[in-house]
């Protein structure tokens, strides 16, 4: 199957915006890696982890549902209504994540945590708005906004590093301001008014979807436990300084995570439309195709990073074996890139409960293995437990999405199978009597 031309064009445009942000975050991490102590860089890395947690909750509770339901709407009024409902919810989630981040950072040793909280809240809100504008097919505006964020962030973070005495706090404030500026440019160019409403119709619209969204929220929680348990356990048990070498290598793989978001933003609205039109074969074919593309890309990128790692020297690395860490990081990221597509398909089908139980299983496996490995080995070995957790999610995701797609494409066989099982049960009961 050939790659659809319009999707390729959208992917190039989206990855351009994601690449700008990824390049900026990468350069900032490298600069701070050489400036901060192991404790300071560990705290910065935890702040970025909390940003990832915020993005995951925004994605599960507002961004992904907005993309799906806005994509399924057949008129502009429905699109606008869902935009307001999910935009209001995104603001609430972003504020809660800002407060939660400030508390966590304070407990881990950040003097105030307020700067990190402002950064996570602003980043989360901008992430939701980007996804909503992608759902409206306004990719060019999003890309311009990404460029504005990157330029503003580069200038302000550079000044913070150069002039400020407390680089960690000032950089967090600079990142928060850059995200707010990106939101301003996004709204200004789109010539749309940010509409936030807590009126009863908006609350009812969101509440009607809560039966599905509650499973999405549970899924976000288990995903964060499964995906971030490495950082939280290592930092909580061994301290932020022990997490610094792992974070220094993990940050080199951030472009993979950023590019995966571009794939999600690109494919989810398209696949939602195909599913609405009952074109399940095309959905299944595109899911397999993009999974292969992302998996191969992760392998190639990981091999390239292994050549770069020995050249990086920093006090935050603490003489760690970066090659050893890099190998296990690759073992984590390849499964992640391979299970993105089946997860998207399950979400489009509304199977948030299945996604939640898959990530719950991965979280249990990851927590148990990482805790055991931290008790008997050095922190880098914890990456092995995290990799096993990701492989578990990979296998379960493809199994369940294949099962669901088969049931959709063969409803008669499924019904006949159930009828046959019922007849066999009745016959067995009669013979038993």
């Amino acid at each position: 199957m050939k790659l659809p031309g319009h999707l390729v064009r959208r992917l190039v445009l989206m990855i351009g915006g994601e690449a700008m942000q990824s390049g900026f975050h990468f350069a900032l991490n490298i600069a701070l890696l050489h400036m901060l102590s192991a404790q300071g860089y560990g705290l910065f890395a935890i702040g970025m982890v909390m940003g990832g947690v915020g993005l995951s909750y925004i994605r599960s509770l507002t961004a992904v549902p907005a993309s799906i339901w806005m994509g399924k709407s057949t008129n502009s009024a429905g699109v606008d209504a869902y935009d307001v409902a999910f935009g209001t919810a995104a603001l609430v989630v972003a504020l809660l994540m800002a407060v939660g981040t400030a508390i966590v950072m304070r407990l881990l040793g950040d003097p105030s945590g307020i700067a990190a909280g402002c950064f996570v809240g602003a980043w989360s809100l901008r992430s939701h708005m980007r996804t909503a504008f992608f759902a409206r097919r306004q990719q060019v505006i999003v890309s311009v906004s990404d460029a504005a964020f990157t330029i503003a962030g580069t200038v302000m973070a550079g000044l913070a590093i150069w002039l400020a005495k407390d680089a960690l706090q000032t950089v967090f404030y600079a990142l928060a301001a850059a995200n707010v500026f990106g939101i301003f440019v996004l709204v200004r160019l789109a010539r749309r008014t940010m509409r936030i409403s807590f009126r009863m119709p908006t609350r009812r619209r969101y509440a009607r979807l809560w039966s599905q969204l509650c499973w999405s929220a549970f899924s976000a929680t288990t995903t964060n436990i499964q995906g971030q348990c490495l950082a939280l356990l290592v930092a909580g048990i061994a301290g932020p300084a022990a997490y610094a070498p792992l974070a220094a290598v993990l940050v080199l793989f951030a472009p993979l995570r950023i590019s995966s978001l571009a794939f999600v933003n690109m494919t989810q609205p398209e696949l939602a439309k195909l599913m609405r039109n009952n074109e399940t074969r095309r959905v299944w074919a595109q899911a397999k195709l993009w999974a292969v593309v992302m998996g191969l890309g992760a392998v190639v990128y990981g091999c390239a990073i292994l050549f770069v790692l020995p050249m990086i020297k920093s006090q935050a690395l603490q003489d760690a074996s970066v090659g050893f860490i890099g190998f296990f990081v690759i073992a984590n990221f390849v499964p992640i890139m391979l299970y993105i597509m089946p997860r998207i398909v399950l979400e489009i089908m509304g199977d948030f409960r299945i996604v939640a139980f898959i990530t719950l299983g991965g979280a249990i496996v990851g927590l148990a293995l990482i805790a055991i490995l931290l008790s008997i080995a050095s922190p880098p070995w914890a990456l092995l437990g995290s990799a096993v957790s990701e492989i578990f999610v990979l296998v379960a995701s493809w199994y369940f999405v294949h099962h669901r797609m088969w049931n959709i494409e063969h409803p008669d066989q499924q019904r006949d199978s159930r009828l046959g099982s019922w007849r066999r049960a009745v016959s067995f009961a009669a013979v038993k009597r």
Side-chain angles (χ1 to χ4, degrees):
M1 177 182 175
K2 294 183 178 180
L3 295 173
H6 70 289
L7 288 184
V8 173
R9 288 191 295 271
R10 290 182 63 197
L11 177 63
V12 171
L13 189 60
M14 290 178 179
I15 287 217
E18 300 288 359
M20 286 186 287
Q21 300 176 84
S22 177
F24 164 59
H25 285 147
F26 178 80
L28 179 61
N29 271 273
I30 295 299
L32 294 177
L33 183 63
H34 290 85
M35 285 187 58
L36 300 175
S37 64
Q39 175 76 9
Y41 185 76
L43 286 172
F44 177 76
I46 295 298
M48 296 298 291
V49 167
M50 291 303 298
V53 173
L55 295 186
S56 68
Y57 275 109
I58 282 288
R59 179 182 181 275
S60 297
L61 291 175
T62 66
V64 168
S67 178
I68 293 173
W69 272 282
M70 288 169 69
K72 290 181 178 180
S73 297
T74 56
N75 55 68
S76 59
V79 172
D80 291 340
Y82 282 121
D83 195 8
V84 173
F86 287 114
T88 304
L91 178 62
V92 174
V93 174
L95 290 174
L96 291 175
M97 283 306 308
V99 174
T101 299
I103 295 173
V104 169
M105 293 295 288
R106 180 68 182 272
L107 292 175
L108 288 176
D110 192 328
S112 68
I114 296 175
C118 293
F119 158 60
V120 171
W123 192 14
S124 300
L125 184 59
R126 190 172 73 88
S127 175
H128 167 83
M129 295 183 67
R130 292 179 74 254
T131 304
F133 277 88
F134 276 132
R136 290 180 177 274
R137 304 293 190 273
Q138 293 180 310
Q139 295 88 356
V140 174
I141 292 176
V142 175
S143 296
V144 174
S145 171
D146 291 341
F149 159 77
T150 303
I151 295 170
T154 302
V155 173
M156 287 188 282
L159 290 174
I161 293 173
W162 184 30
L163 299 176
K165 294 182 180 179
D166 188 352
L168 180 63
Q169 296 293 318
T170 313
V171 165
F172 276 137
Y173 278 124
L175 290 174
N179 276 287
V180 172
F181 182 70
I183 292 173
F184 170 78
V185 172
L186 189 63
V187 175
R188 187 74 174 177
L189 291 179
R191 296 180 180 178
R192 299 187 62 84
T193 304
M194 287 185 63
R195 296 175 58 194
I196 303 298
S197 173
F198 293 95
R199 298 174 63 184
M200 185 59 70
T202 302
R203 298 202 302 270
R204 286 176 178 171
R205 186 173 293 108
Y206 192 83
R208 281 198 298 268
L209 304 173
W210 186 245
S211 61
Q212 291 175 294
L213 294 179
C214 65
W215 285 107
S216 185
F218 180 68
S219 175
T221 303
T222 55
T223 297
N224 284 319
I225 296 173
Q226 184 258 331
Q228 309 297 348
C229 60
L230 172 70
L232 298 178
L233 282 178
V234 173
I237 295 174
Y243 179 64
L246 278 64
V249 178
L250 284 166
V251 74
L252 300 178
F253 289 80
L256 286 180
R257 196 176 294 277
I258 297 296
S259 63
S260 71
L261 291 177
F263 273 96
V264 172
N265 290 331
M266 176 195 70
T267 57
Q268 201 149 38
E270 295 290 334
L271 296 181
K273 283 191 173 182
L274 292 177
M275 190 64 70
R276 182 187 65 190
N277 297 329
N278 295 320
E279 298 184 60
T280 54
R281 290 184 182 275
R282 291 184 61 188
V283 171
W284 183 232
Q286 288 193 23
K288 291 186 290 186
L289 176 65
W290 288 117
V292 171
V293 171
M294 288 189 287
L296 290 177
V299 172
V300 172
Y301 183 86
C303 292
I305 290 297
L306 286 179
F307 286 102
V308 176
L309 280 175
M311 306 176 190
I312 300 176
K313 305 296 181 182
S314 169
Q315 59 178 342
L317 292 177
Q318 300 178 333
D319 300 322
S321 176
V322 292
F324 178 78
I325 296 173
F327 175 78
F328 278 124
V329 172
I330 294 174
N332 274 264
F333 270 91
V334 171
I336 290 174
M337 301 300 283
L338 287 173
Y339 69 63
I340 286 172
M341 292 309 301
R343 178 164 182 159
I344 289 174
V345 175
L346 288 172
E347 289 174 341
I348 289 172
M349 293 178 178
D351 289 331
F352 295 106
R353 182 167 56 179
I354 292 178
V355 175
F357 282 118
I358 290 174
T359 52
L360 176 60
I364 293 173
V365 171
L367 284 171
L369 290 178
I370 292 173
I372 292 171
L373 289 168
L374 283 174
S375 66
I376 63 175
S378 59
W381 280 99
L383 288 164
L384 176 60
S386 180
V388 174
S389 172
E390 301 293 1
I391 292 171
F392 174 89
V393 175
L394 168 66
V395 174
S397 297
W398 278 106
Y399 170 79
F400 281 106
V401 78
H402 179 268
H403 181 71
R404 290 285 284 114
M405 295 297 288
W406 189 89
N407 288 341
I408 292 174
E409 293 180 0
H410 305 86
D412 294 336
Q413 295 184 31
Q414 183 187 18
R415 184 171 58 253
D416 291 345
S417 176
R418 290 177 179 175
L419 182 60
S421 299
W422 179 79
R423 285 174 175 171
R424 286 192 296 272
V426 171
S427 299
F428 175 77
V431 170
K432 189 176 181 180
R433 286 196 300 269

